[in-house]
Amino acid sequence: MKTTKKCAFCGRMFTPNSGMQKYCTVHCADEAKKAKKKRQQDLLNAVEPVLEIQRLSLIHISEPTRRSY
């Protein structure tokens, strides 16, 4: 008896060729990859200004340096 899975991208039911297959077609796999890349870029764009503010605030903090002779 063949098992069926639900495509992780489009939600259609399909019969996988291997146990590791997550997507019903190559097209769904490509689209899922593009969507993941876009989510990662969106997250980076959202976090980047915060990191820049932190970096700038660290530059302005001056601490005395200790020298050991």
Side-chain angles (χ1 to χ4, degrees):
M1 181 175 161
K2 298 254 182 173
T3 60
T4 59
K5 283 188 169 182
K6 188 175 184 179
C7 178
F9 183 72
C10 69
R12 287 186 295 204
M13 298 302 287
F14 71 100
T15 303
N17 295 329
S18 70
M20 298 298 292
Q21 190 174 351
K22 292 177 16 178
Y23 306 106
C24 60
T25 62
V26 174
H27 176 72
C28 279
D30 290 342
E31 291 298 318
K33 186 176 179 180
K34 286 179 190 176
K36 180 180 178 183
K37 199 171 200 178
K38 184 175 180 350
R39 283 193 310 270
Q40 288 174 341
Q41 189 61 43
D42 290 346
L43 178 63
L44 182 62
N45 290 340
V47 171
E48 192 172 356
V50 174
L51 294 175
E52 183 66 20
I53 290 169
Q54 286 179 341
R55 187 184 70 78
L56 291 174
S57 67
L58 289 176
I59 290 172
H60 297 283
I61 296 172
S62 61
E63 295 181 15
T65 57
R66 296 180 186 216
R67 295 183 183 178
S68 59
Y69 294 100

